[in-house]
């Protein structure tokens, strides 16, 4: 946003993060998907570290703001916005940043995402177990190593099963 506004000769008397947050709040509207809070609560109860790696042009501070508005921020131990790093999924380095923040080896981590190309293939590229959140029934060749869910209610049971077998 700084590049866009600056290139147009537009400058603000507010801090950059405040301009970004104002834009977000007035131009975009989000609501949690059904079942996501219950799924996050179930995962949190297991003690598993949870984080966010998001392909977005907005800073992590703005994403934190949005999650906090919906009472979801406290579920996450870290948040990585690709805008803060200049890399986008499926680039392996953005997943490595997340693994470093989670302090977990990739072979012991899962990555849940809604894109085969960016999330599933990106996660596989660094040794994570991908979980494809395919809520709209997209078509695509799902790698054998990937798990698939179509509703957030589907996630806790597969996590519990995996934890029991460890």
């Amino acid at each position: 946003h700084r590049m866009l506004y600056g290139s147009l000769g537009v400058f603000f008397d507010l801090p950059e993060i405040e301009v970004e947050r104002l834009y977000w709040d007035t131009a975009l509207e989000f609501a949690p998907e059904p079942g996501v809070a219950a799924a996050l609560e179930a995962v949190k109860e297991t003690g598993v570290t949870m984080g966010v790696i998001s392909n977005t042009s907005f800073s992590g501070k703005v994403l934190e703001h949005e999650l906090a508005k919906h009472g979801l921020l406290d579920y996450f131990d870290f948040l990585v916005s690709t805008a803060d790093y200049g890399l986008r999924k499926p680039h392996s380095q953005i997943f490595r940043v997340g693994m470093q923040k989670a302090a977990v080896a990739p072979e012991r981590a899962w990555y849940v995402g809604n894109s085969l190309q960016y999330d599933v293939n990106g996660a596989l590229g660094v040794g994570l177990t991908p979980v494809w959140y395919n809520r709209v029934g997209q078509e695509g060749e799902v790698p054998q190593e990937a798990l698939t869910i179509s509703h957030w209610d589907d996630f806790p049971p597969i996590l519990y099963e995996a934890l029991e077998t460890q």
Side-chain angles (χ1 to χ4, degrees), residues 98-119:
M99 292 301 87
Q100 184 177 18
K101 289 182 176 289
V104 65
E107 62 273 7
R108 295 192 37 81
W110 288 13
Y111 185 83
V112 181
N114 64 354
S115 167
L116 270 176
Q117 177 183 356
Y118 299 114
D119 298 315

Side-chain angles (χ1 to χ4, degrees), residues 9-36:
V10 177
F11 300 96
F12 300 93
D13 292 333
L14 297 170
E16 182 181 328
I17 186 63
E18 200 56 36
V19 172
E20 187 180 23
R21 193 171 319 163
L22 282 168
Y23 177 85
W24 177 279
D25 285 341
T26 56
L28 304 167
E29 187 173 331
F30 293 96
E33 292 187 5
V36 73

